[in-house]
């Protein structure tokens, strides 16, 4: 291109030099030469500018496009929308951690249950009937992405294979449905439920109402043993009516408080007797009523017994234990 331009310029200079010597003869030739030089030079400039612009082109989908044509994808572009959807899907299935220990520390009494679990609903009904609040219940869902983590955390307490519900009291694993239901009936949870959730304990009252005759006793209690033998001789099913409390167990303090409330007594000695939910008195009072035949109709109705002859005995020297 530079060589052609140089030749054209030389040609133009030659024509100008000739026209200087003979203006009339060479004027038209000079004009024609100038037009040709200008036209060809403009074409060369255009091609050169086009060639330089090609350096800024970008290959898109197999064809060259100028960088000015390259743009950011608009929000409605198919590719942009697809990427945005995939990003949302990833966020939805993101699994967070599950800290069972933190849950146990936050809730003194905890019942872990599962959706569509009949035993879970049965245990909940038993607890709700006693006034236990909903906050103690946490329900897992197998469809929840967190469930594998929840199950693994629970296996550390309940074992590799377990069923729902699973119960914890003061951070200690209490077992599944059968174990927890038995502990609830025995009053093992009375203290924690009263202290933490203001649930009035009713275990003693429930026993007195469910059993036709309920006699509360203690180990190593001479008067308890004497009443036991006396009623046994009368034919009373003593294994079914005697309820032996244990001072060494943590629930004893709440049992004692419940008895005090039912009997309306601050101090008392064992044994203490209830018949059809009504308080009967201590050892002396119950023996006296039995000898007088006051329980004859009750023994016949509740146990199918005929009234025996009064039993004479000497009162044990040890006496009952005073509370």
């Amino acid at each position: 291109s530079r060589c052609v331009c140089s030749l054209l310029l030389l040609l133009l200079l030659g024509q100008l030099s000739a026209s200087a010597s003979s203006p009339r003869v060479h004027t038209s030739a000079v004009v024609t030469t100038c037009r040709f030089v200008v036209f060809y030079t403009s074409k060369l400039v255009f091609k050169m500018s086009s060639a330089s612009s090609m350096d800024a082109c970008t290959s898109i989908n197999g064809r060259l496009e100028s960088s000015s044509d390259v743009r950011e994808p608009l929000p409605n572009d198919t590719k942009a929308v697809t990427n945005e959807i995939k990003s949302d899907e990833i966020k939805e299935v993101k699994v967070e951690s599950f800290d069972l220990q933190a849950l146990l520390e936050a809730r003194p009494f905890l019942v872990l249950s599962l959706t569509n679990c009949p035993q879970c609903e049965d245990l909940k009904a038993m607890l709700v009937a006693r006034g236990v609040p909903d906050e103690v219940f946490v329900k897992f869902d197998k469809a929840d992405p967190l469930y594998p983590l929840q199950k693994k955390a629970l296996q550390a307490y309940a074992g590799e294979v377990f069923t729902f519900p699973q119960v914890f009291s003061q951070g200690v694993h209490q077992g599944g449905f059968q174990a927890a239901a038995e502990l609830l009936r025995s009053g093992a949870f009375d203290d924690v439920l009263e202290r933490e959730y203001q649930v009035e304990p009713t275990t003693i009252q429930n026993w007195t109402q469910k059993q036709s005759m309920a006699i509360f006793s203690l180990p190593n209690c001479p008067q308890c043993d004497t009443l036991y033998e006396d009623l046994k001789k009368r034919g009373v099913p003593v294994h079914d009516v005697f309820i032996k409390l244990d001072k060494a167990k943590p629930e004893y303090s709440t049992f004692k408080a419940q008895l005090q409330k039912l009997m309306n007594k601050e101090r008392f000695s064992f044994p203490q007797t209830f018949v059809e939910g009504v308080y009967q008195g201590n050892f002396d009072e119950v023996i006296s009523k039995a000898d007088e035949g006051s329980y004859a109709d009750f023994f016949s109705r509740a146990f199918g017994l005929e009234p025996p002859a009064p039993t004479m005995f000497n009162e044990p020297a040890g006496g009952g234990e005073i509370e």
Side-chain angles (χ1 to χ4, degrees):
S1 298
R2 293 178 179 177
C3 293
V4 173
C5 289
S6 300
L7 291 174
L8 290 174
L9 289 174
L10 291 174
L11 177 61
L12 178 60
L13 291 174
Q15 291 291 338
L16 291 174
S17 176
S19 63
S21 60
S22 182
R24 294 182 179 180
V25 178
H26 300 288
T27 301
S28 59
V30 172
V31 173
T32 301
T33 301
C34 289
R35 287 177 178 176
F36 178 77
V37 170
V38 171
F39 173 75
Y40 191 79
T41 302
S42 64
K43 288 188 67 176
L44 286 178
V45 171
F46 175 78
K47 287 183 179 182
M48 291 176 65
S49 62
S50 298
S52 62
S53 65
M54 288 292 288
D55 294 338
C57 290
T58 306
S59 176
I60 300 179
N61 296 329
R63 60 189 178 87
L64 292 176
E65 291 187 4
S66 172
S67 57
S68 61
D69 295 329
V70 178
R71 59 185 176 84
E72 293 294 328
L74 297 175
N76 60 349
D77 286 350
T78 303
K79 185 175 180 181
V81 173
T82 302
N83 290 338
E84 186 174 341
I85 292 174
K86 288 182 178 179
S87 176
D88 291 341
E89 290 175 351
I90 292 174
K91 290 180 181 178
E92 290 177 1
V93 300
K94 182 180 179 181
V95 178
E96 299 178 355
S97 61
F98 174 74
D99 192 346
L100 179 56
Q101 186 60 38
L103 191 60
L104 294 176
E105 293 174 359
R107 306 195 185 190
F109 192 82
L110 177 66
V111 179
L112 298 176
S113 62
L114 195 66
T115 53
N116 302 319
C117 170
Q119 286 190 333
C120 300
E121 297 303 321
D122 290 344
L123 183 60
K124 182 175 181 178
M126 295 170 63
L127 290 167
V128 169
R130 295 196 176 206
V132 178
D134 289 339
E135 63 187 87
V136 307
F137 304 100
V138 174
K139 183 173 289 188
F140 292 166
D141 188 345
K142 288 186 177 181
D144 191 333
L146 277 176
Y147 179 72
L149 294 178
Q150 295 168 338
K151 179 180 177 181
K152 184 177 180 180
L154 192 50
Q155 284 175 330
Y157 294 89
E160 193 69 21
V161 179
F162 62 89
T163 59
F164 285 94
Q166 292 294 320
V167 180
F168 293 81
S169 178
Q170 301 180 92
V172 179
H173 181 235
Q174 303 297 317
F177 173 78
Q178 294 293 343
E182 181 58 33
L183 289 170
L184 181 63
R185 284 190 291 265
S186 69
F189 300 143
D190 283 3
D191 182 58
V192 64
L193 294 179
E194 181 181 20
R195 184 178 65 255
E196 300 293 341
Y197 305 104
Q198 294 73 54
V199 175
E200 183 178 358
T202 58
T203 300
I204 297 294
Q205 184 178 4
N206 292 340
W207 282 336
T208 64
Q209 292 176 347
K210 290 180 179 179
Q211 295 187 193
S212 57
M213 189 175 193
I215 302 176
F216 298 95
S217 64
L218 286 177
N220 304 317
C221 168
Q223 286 190 341
C224 300
D225 296 337
T226 300
L227 181 59
Y228 184 95
E229 293 299 328
D230 178 80
L231 294 177
K232 183 178 180 181
K233 290 177 181 179
R234 297 174 192 266
V236 175
V238 289
H239 288 291
D240 297 331
V241 302
F242 270 77
I243 302 172
K244 187 168 289 189
L245 307 182
D246 189 347
K247 289 185 175 181
K249 292 186 176 180
E251 58 266 24
Y252 176 76
S253 60
T254 184
F255 287 167
K256 177 183 175 181
Q258 292 176 55
L259 277 171
Q260 289 171 325
K261 184 176 181 180
L262 285 176
M263 298 183 302
N264 195 25
K265 291 182 178 181
E266 286 295 323
R267 292 177 60 83
F268 62 91
S269 62
F270 285 96
Q272 294 294 330
T273 303
F274 293 79
V275 171
E276 296 181 327
V278 179
Y279 177 56
Q280 299 299 309
N282 59 19
F283 169 82
D284 294 325
E285 293 170 312
V286 172
I287 288 292
S288 178
K289 290 178 182 180
D291 288 342
E292 293 171 356
S294 300
Y295 297 134
D297 290 341
F298 167 71
F299 286 160
S300 177
R301 184 175 66 254
F303 309 121
L305 301 176
E306 293 297 327
T311 301
M312 302 302 294
F313 62 92
N314 295 322
E315 182 177 341
E321 184 171 346
I322 303 296
E323 280 292 335

